[in-house]
Amino acid sequence: MHAAQIIRKEQPGQGRVTILRICRLIFTGTAVACLTACGATEVQVAPIFEFPTPLVEPLPVHLGVYYSENFSNFTYYESKDKQGIDDTSIKMGEAQISLFEKILPAVFEQVQVLQRGEPASSRAHLDAVLVPQIIDVEYAVPQTNKAKIYEVWIKYKFDLLAPDGSSIATWTMPAYGKTPTALLKSSKEAINLASVMALRDCGAAFITGFTRVPEVAQWLDTSIGNAAPAGRTEQGEVSYE
Amino acid sequence: MNKIVLTLLLGCLILGGCTTTTINEYRQTPIQLSDQDSVVILGRRQSGQHETEPFLIDCIAKELDALGKDVQIIDEIDFLNRLYPWFEPRTAPLSPERLRMLMDNPRIADAIKAMNLHYMVWVEGSTVRGDSTGAMSCTISPTFVGCFGFGSWEDDASYEIAIWDVTTFNSVAWLSASASGTSYMPAIVAPIPLIARVKSKVCESIADQIILMFTENLAG
């Protein structure tokens, strides 16, 4: 018995059926991709690089820093009604804590993180307490700014308090970050990078601007008895047009 | 018909590969680079309108590897991190005189000395997309997927490069580079991109000119 050789012959029209199947698969896949692309954008700001250690001479200050719950868990939310794009929420609490944990120990000789409800005695040895807050966030995407870049602005408010709670100084500080679109794959990644650049700018602004706040400079001269630190240099102001 | 389509495509291919580049150069003092020196390429990003693309900085830095293995090209990000926050967009020195004031800080001076940094190359500018023409329509249906049409657009690049000598705090040379190119996108069922490599061409031109300036007096 000879082994049966089965030869599969292509039936007439089978090639066209195959092409139709491929077209249907592409159509279905494209439709699913479009539908899943719609909806809210949520960005958990995660630094793509570790914030660098500042190159500064530390101030001879024992500083306490208090991060409120709102600051630690800060989330900026914007509905699509504002800019005509998807609902967007940007969670930056963790990333900004990470930034301040990097820069404050470089700027001040000693830094102690204070917790809510700690007794006053825990602050007695401190020279001052810093309380950072975010008071405003804005962002722009290429669809709205026509510049093909993603931009994030963050406005901070800092309170420098004496250990007894009285105010030494209060000031606001803007930070700005931007990124071109060409490098990145998605708006989430672009907003994340722009936010990280804004945080990096915040660090630079705080480090170079802290001793220039008039009340802070006066406090450093009188209470601590120290002139401007060696790290302070005169730099031209930069404007973001 | 096939000959006409092939001729059109060939014409687009030839035209799409054309990018014109213009370089102007001005040297103030001779550039003396020794084989133990380092050079850093930095992008100007001090305002919303000044955003030198990181791609271009990386490209120029890679092209400058041709200077030889003994001349180190410091990575931009590495340099910015090691000197944080003194070369951020809001704090970077805008002139050699500002750099001198910055280097009065012993920590900054020591950090730069540790890198054997001799020259800073500042690149400022951008590539913008100009007018685009044409129209294209794409159809996705259960029986057919494809595009038809034709589009073209022009990219214009304009950059200024300043070279600072970090040891003497002088601006030693200045370059301007501009390039323009037209890209085409005919679509016959599938789009056929014929992209003018404007950024790459301007990067190569800038890097070639910098290499020429640095190697003329390369000391052993």
Side-chain angles (χ1 to χ4, degrees):
Chain A
M1 185 178 183
H2 296 287
Q5 287 183 323
I6 301 170
I7 301 172
R8 291 185 68 172
K9 286 187 179 176
E10 190 171 290
Q11 299 298 322
Q14 194 169 1
R16 193 174 61 187
V17 170
T18 307
I19 292 172
L20 282 175
R21 280 188 189 153
I22 293 171
C23 285
R24 284 193 195 114
L25 275 172
I26 293 172
F27 171 74
T28 309
T30 306
V32 169
C34 288
L35 287 170
T36 54
C38 301
T41 301
E42 187 177 286
V43 182
Q44 170 71 53
V45 178
I48 58 171
F49 46 75
E50 196 178 327
F51 289 112
T53 303
L55 189 66
V56 289
E57 189 73 30
L59 290 166
V61 169
H62 292 189
L63 185 83
V65 58
Y66 175 66
Y67 304 119
S68 66
E69 196 173 325
N70 183 47
F71 186 82
S72 301
N73 300 316
F74 186 84
T75 299
Y76 174 71
Y77 172 77
E78 189 172 288
S79 73
K80 66 180 177 182
D81 297 330
K82 191 169 178 186
Q83 295 196 61
I85 51 177
D86 294 337
D87 293 347
T88 302
S89 62
I90 307 173
K91 298 180 179 180
M92 56 176 67
E94 209 172 298
Q96 60 191 5
I97 297 287
S98 173
L99 168 76
F100 282 100
E101 283 180 350
K102 196 76 179 189
I103 67 170
L104 293 180
V107 176
F108 304 100
E109 208 169 76
Q110 239 183 50
V111 176
Q112 177 183 333
V113 178
L114 302 175
Q115 304 296 334
R116 188 185 177 89
E118 277 186 359
S121 56
S122 66
R123 303 192 295 271
H125 67 286
L126 299 173
D127 296 317
V129 176
L130 182 73
V131 182
Q133 300 172 60
I134 290 182
I135 55 176
D136 197 13
V137 176
E138 297 279 346
Y139 78 97
V141 297
Q143 294 95 304
T144 56
N145 64 23
K146 297 189 169 74
K148 296 184 181 176
I149 58 173
Y150 287 81
E151 301 173 289
V152 172
W153 293 268
I154 309 171
K155 191 170 183 182
Y156 285 91
K157 181 186 165 201
F158 293 97
D159 288 297
L160 191 68
L161 308 171
D164 61 5
S166 59
S167 176
I168 299 171
T170 296
W171 70 101
T172 58
M173 187 190 76
Y176 172 72
K178 64 185 173 193
T179 182
T181 58
L183 299 174
L184 301 157
K185 297 175 188 172
S186 69
S187 61
K188 265 191 188 180
E189 289 177 346
I191 293 172
N192 179 66
L193 183 55
S195 302
V196 170
M197 298 309 292
L199 289 175
R200 192 179 165 114
D201 183 54
C202 163
F206 181 87
I207 293 165
T208 57
F210 179 75
T211 55
R212 293 185 195 168
V213 178
E215 293 84 2
V216 172
Q218 188 181 9
W219 170 71
L220 285 171
D221 286 341
T222 56
S223 303
I224 307 300
N226 189 50
R232 181 182 178 186
T233 60
E234 290 298 322
Q235 292 289 320
E237 287 299 320
V238 175
S239 66
Y240 294 102
E241 295 168 22
Chain B
M1 181 64 182
N2 286 339
K3 283 183 185 174
I4 294 169
V5 169
L6 279 172
T7 307
L8 274 172
L9 285 175
L10 192 63
C12 289
L13 194 64
I14 292 167
L15 290 170
C18 293
T19 302
T20 55
T21 311
T22 308
I23 298 276
N24 290 315
E25 174 195 319
Y26 171 71
R27 293 191 214 186
Q28 195 157 333
T29 54
I31 292 175
Q32 294 283 347
L33 189 69
S34 75
D35 58 4
Q36 298 303 320
D37 285 343
S38 297
V39 176
V40 67
I41 317 297
L42 300 169
R44 282 282 180 209
R45 303 186 178 99
Q46 73 267 25
S47 75
Q49 291 172 351
H50 294 82
E51 176 66 24
T52 309
E53 300 97 336
F55 158 80
L56 187 78
I57 305 300
D58 287 343
C59 176
I60 296 173
K62 280 181 188 151
E63 293 286 328
L64 289 189
D65 280 342
L67 279 170
K69 59 178 182 178
D70 292 325
V71 177
Q72 188 190 0
I73 307 299
I74 299 171
D75 176 68
E76 184 190 27
I77 302 294
D78 185 40
F79 180 83
L80 295 178
N81 286 342
R82 284 159 84 171
L83 282 147
Y84 181 75
W86 306 109
F87 283 81
E88 298 299 295
R90 70 162 62 225
T91 54
L94 297 177
S95 66
E97 186 54 37
R98 289 286 192 191
L99 176 64
R100 183 200 299 269
M101 293 166 68
L102 200 62
M103 298 269 286
D104 286 341
N105 180 336
R107 284 190 175 225
I108 298 171
D110 289 345
I112 288 180
K113 194 177 171 185
M115 291 186 245
N116 288 329
L117 186 64
H118 195 161
Y119 292 100
M120 272 184 194
V121 179
W122 289 98
V123 182
E124 181 175 9
S126 60
T127 300
V128 295
R129 182 147 293 175
D131 295 331
S132 57
T133 59
M136 189 176 306
S137 63
C138 295
T139 302
I140 301 173
S141 71
T143 55
F144 180 75
V145 177
C147 297
F148 284 104
F150 181 83
S152 70
W153 61 91
E154 196 171 293
D155 288 323
D156 294 305
S158 177
Y159 296 92
E160 290 186 0
I161 297 93
I163 301 178
W164 295 355
D165 186 328
V166 174
T167 58
T168 61
F169 305 110
N170 282 324
S171 182
V172 297
W174 174 87
L175 290 171
S176 73
S178 58
S180 64
T182 306
S183 302
Y184 303 93
M185 179 92 79
I188 304 169
V189 181
I192 305 167
L194 304 166
I195 309 294
R197 296 169 53 243
V198 173
K199 282 186 193 173
S200 302
K201 287 289 181 189
V202 81
C203 160
E204 287 165 11
S205 301
I206 291 170
D208 287 345
Q209 203 61 31
I210 293 174
I211 289 171
L212 189 65
M213 290 198 299
F214 280 152
T215 53
E216 275 181 352
N217 295 310
L218 186 65

